[in-house]
Each structure stands twice: as C-alpha cells, then as structure tokens.
Amino acid sequence: MNCDIAVVGGGPVGVVAALALRDAGFSVVMVERGKAPAAFDVARYDSRVYAIAPASAQLLERLGVWPSIAAARVSPYTRMQVWERAAELGLCFDTSDSGHGALGWIVEQGLILSAAWARLGSLPTRVGVDAEALLLPDDDQDRAELRLSNGEVLRPRLVVAADGADSPLREQAGIETVTWTYAQRAIVAQLSMRSARPRTAYQRFLPTGPLAFLPQADGRHSIVWSADSTRAAELLAMDDATFGAALGEASQYALGELLDVSPRIAFPLRLLHARDYHRAGLVLVGDAAHAIHPLAGQGANLGFADVAQLAETLAAARDAGRDWASARTLSAYSRARKAANLEMLALTDGLYRGFGAGIPGLRELLGIGMEAVNRFAPIKSLLAKQAAAGTG
Ligand SMILES: Cc1cc2nc3c(=O)[nH]c(=O)nc-3n(C[C@H](O)[C@H](O)[C@H](O)COP(=O)(O)OP(=O)(O)OC[C@H]3O[C@@H](n4cnc5c(N)ncnc54)[C@H](O)[C@@H]3O)c2cc1C
C-alpha cells in the first residue's frame, strides 16, 4: 500500500503525530503493535499521569483532542513549589510569574490515549501489528518499504518512528544513541495528603533523588519518587504506615501526613539521545529520539513539540513546492528540535546530578542558588515560562 507517511507507534506521541500529519494534509497510516487503548473509565484513576504544558495543551486543542480530555477530567495547577532543604526557602512559581492561566494540567495517560485515538476516525491503522523490517529509499526507489507482521508491505515516502525509547526502527536504521542508565527507579502511586494546598505541585530534591507531588482533580496527588535502586526497593517493600512515615519525612510534612496510598509501581530511568533524528525516508519523534529523567515532567511534552515542528516543517516545504520528504526538509526539523531537546535533557540531567550525585559542595551551592533565585523575580519568570512552554 502506498501512502505519504507511516507512523510507527500509537503511544501518546505517535497517535498525536498521526493526527497532526493527517490534519496537515498528508495521507497517513498508523501502526501499533499493542492493543488500542480501552475507553476511558471515569470511575477509575490511571496511576500514570502526565504534567501537560500549555504548548502541548494548545496542540491537543488544535487537533480536537483537548475538549474530550477537559470534559472527562483534568487538574490544572497554578503553583509549583520546589525545594531542597526547607520548603519555605525553595523556589515558588505561580501563574503570575508565567503569564499563563495555569502552569500546566495533570492528565491521566489512559485519558490522553483514548481521547487521541478516538480522533483517528477513518485514518487507516494496523493494530496488534508489528512493523518488522524497514528498507530505506535509495537511488532507485523514492519510497521506504515497511514490512508488517501481518504480511503487508507499506510503501510510504516517509516513516515517522514514534516507537519509544527502545525504537526498533532507530536500531534498524543504524542511528546511534548516547545512553545513560540512572541507577534509580521512579516510584509512582496515588495518595491523599492531609493538608496540601489546592492546585499546587510540589517537588523536593533529596540526596537520593527528587520526589514530586502532582495534584489530581479529586484532591489526591500522584507522586513520582525517584530514588536510587536500594532505596527504591525499600520503599516498594514497606507497608503503608511505614511508607507514610518515610514520605512525611522526605517531604518534611509540607503537605501534612499521608492519609491513604494506592499500590506502588516502579519504572527504570534512563537518559537517551539519538545522534541523528533522521535518515532518508525516516524521522524520529518522541522517546525514539530522546528520553529524559522524569523530574521535570517534560518527556511527552518534548515529543508533542517534535510533532508540532515536524507537521509545520513538512507542510511548509510542500506548500513552497519543495520535496517535503527530502534530507533538506528533515534536517530543518532536526535542527529545530535538537537544540530544544538537548537543552531540556541537560537541564534535567544537571538537576538530577546537582542534587543527587553528591559532588562535594555542589548541592550546597545549588541550595543557596535556589534561595537567591526565589528573590529574583525575572529569573523565576523566565524559568516558569520555559517550563510552561515545554521547550526547555
Ligand atoms: C515515571 C514517569 C513519569 C513521567 N511523567 C511525565 C510527565 O509528567 N510529563 C511528560 O510529558 N512526560 C512524562 N514522562 C515521559 C513519558 O512517559 C514519555 O516521554 C512518553 O510516554 C513517550 O511517548 P512515546 O509515544 O514517544 O513512546 P511510548 O509511550 O514508549 O510509545 C511507543 C509505542 O510504540 C509501539 N511500538 C514499538 N515498536 C513498535 C513496532 N515495531 N511496531 C509497532 N508498534 C511499535 C509501542 O507498543 C508503544 O505503544 C514520564 C515517564 C516516566 C517513566
């Protein structure tokens, strides 16, 4: 089957890429080896949540996805408190610093996926089907060849790899990565805290890793607690009362005591950046191009920004009468996104190392730095704008 673009991966970035490229006027096929997401059940809370930045919400709005998300459940946050040694000495962003109505919205992963998949409509999909082998275009053939596990062969001008951090397509194309596995795991759970402020996200940097509290619409919080492997194993094994005491101590009771907590799950953490974002006939977006530490809640936001840039760059080349799948066009996309992605990667890695790596004197310096920054509104404003725009 011939088409303009085959998007491989129906995760949050892949499905949004399929919608954005279709809306930009390209014929698109989306391939996902897993199942289609289940219809969102408002009676249940998904323990995986994303902090969605305003730029991502705008993209989802343009694609018609945001209205069903907003109608189901979103939790805006207007204040973010970040500290290391004492809550009152840390950084505090609020909407007056950023000039936006909200710093971001906490949205469940299952809701983003089901709302975005529902917008695919008649867009052709191959679900439960693996993209197995990729043959890139060459001098004789201006289309890629993508062999699927159902025996079908797709012949798109461009393959968009949204196949996640392990990206089989990136591997097949021989694109190298810089990879660093953090000796940490992120523990995710939902919980109720006795005296949290409404619409406030909290983050404390501990020597063992950052602990974030993201406010849910029902007044509970989702936590992402990154801890070195030994500590993570201890936290997972604790009974709820012992976990509550550990959490209270770790957060210095800035949100009061733990009232109840869901089962805890853990994710391994790594940093990954592809050396190139494209080959002839192939382009990388989302975690296939870059995976970052979740401490700034920016991974999917960077992927959505990749998608917005890619759709804009391809459509502009086509509308100007140029070859929209050429190396020149793909280089323009790559240049635009690499700088922003690397900046955020360096920022999150720097924060992780600065607070966690125990370099003598550095944490102390950053602790003092944060307190100074808190008194300096223009820097706060810049930081908040960058966080809110999701561009690093
Ligand atoms: C603990 C934690 C908290 C996080 N919090 C946030 C947050 O608050 N905000 C935020 O923006 N980001 C956050 N992130 C990051 C975010 O989860 C990722 O950036 C995001 O999931 C990447 O989406 P993706 O679509 O690129 O990749 P994925 O979600 O990995 O999706 C890839 C898809 O490709 C499919 N696939 C793979 N290979 C093939 C193939 N050969 N054929 C067909 N299909 C294939 C897979 O089945 C999968 O569905 C967090 C991450 C972690 C670990």
Side-chain angles (χ1 to χ4, degrees), residues 13-343:
V13 177
V15 63
V16 167
L19 295 174
L21 294 165
R22 187 244 341 245
D23 286 5
F26 297 99
S27 64
V28 178
V29 178
M30 190 182 88
V31 184
E32 166 56 50
R33 69 173 162 205
K35 291 185 192 152
F40 183 67
D41 177 1
V42 279
R44 293 188 58 233
Y45 248 100
D46 189 349
S47 58
R48 282 295 306 272
V49 298
Y50 290 150
I52 295 293
S56 301
Q58 281 158 20
L59 173 67
L60 295 171
E61 177 79 49
R62 284 201 300 281
L63 299 174
V65 177
W66 191 255
S68 39
I69 291 179
R73 187 159 56 210
V74 288
S75 173
Y77 60 99
T78 55
R79 199 165 174 276
M80 191 192 292
Q81 199 172 331
V82 183
W83 79 100
E84 186 196 15
R85 284 178 295 174
E88 63 282 4
L89 295 178
L91 262 180
C92 190
F93 304 134
D94 64 38
T95 41
S96 58
D97 297 318
S98 75
H100 288 282
L103 289 173
W105 292 265
I106 306 303
V107 185
E108 292 146 88
Q109 181 181 37
L111 177 54
I112 295 185
L113 284 173
S114 65
W117 273 65
R119 293 289 300 170
L120 289 170
S122 60
L123 187 148
T125 54
R126 303 291 184 271
V127 180
V129 171
D130 211 319
E132 283 183 340
L134 172 69
L135 211 61
L136 293 174
D138 55 27
D139 293 343
D140 305 323
Q141 168 64 275
D142 75 340
R143 288 182 177 273
E145 206 174 90
L146 194 62
R147 290 186 178 277
L148 308 184
S149 56
N150 63 358
E152 197 181 352
V153 179
L154 299 178
R155 291 192 175 77
R157 295 256 4 254
L158 182 64
V159 175
V160 174
D163 50 351
D166 290 323
S167 180
L169 292 180
R170 187 188 64 220
E171 286 257 305
Q172 285 184 45
I175 297 178
E176 288 180 2
T177 57
V178 176
T179 307
W180 177 259
T181 304
Y182 294 109
Q184 282 204 335
R185 287 199 287 165
I187 294 168
V188 171
Q190 287 160 329
L191 40 79
S192 304
M193 303 301 294
R194 186 178 293 284
S195 44
R197 281 179 69 145
R199 297 191 168 200
T200 302
Y202 297 83
Q203 174 138 270
R204 179 170 185 218
F205 285 94
L206 292 148
T208 48
L211 164 62
F213 293 82
L214 306 172
Q216 294 185 173
D218 62 355
R220 292 188 300 162
H221 284 77
S222 291
I223 57 157
V224 182
W225 190 347
S226 310
D228 56 49
S229 304
T230 315
R231 180 68 177 150
E234 286 168 10
L235 291 170
L236 283 172
M238 285 172 183
D239 60 42
D240 289 357
T242 316
F243 181 75
L247 188 79
E249 198 183 315
S251 58
Q252 298 179 313
Y253 291 92
L255 301 80
E257 293 144 34
L258 174 74
L259 298 177
D260 61 71
V261 59
S262 71
R264 303 177 280 281
I265 41 177
F267 295 87
L269 297 177
R270 66 179 148 171
L271 173 154
L272 176 151
H273 191 255
R275 288 194 191 275
D276 303 306
Y277 284 10
H278 67 97
R279 287 280 184 267
L282 175 74
V283 66
L284 310 182
V285 292
D287 275 23
H290 43 75
I292 62 173
H293 195 291
L295 64 87
Q298 290 296 331
N301 287 301
L302 292 181
F304 293 145
D306 292 347
V307 167
Q309 181 71 50
L310 183 66
E312 190 188 310
T313 307
L314 299 187
R318 178 200 57 202
D319 296 346
R322 295 197 304 273
D323 179 1
W324 57 266
S326 68
R328 181 181 159 192
T329 312
L330 300 180
S331 297
Y333 155 76
S334 168
R335 266 197 311 278
R337 288 309 305 154
K338 248 189 194 174
N341 290 334
L342 278 169
E343 200 181 331

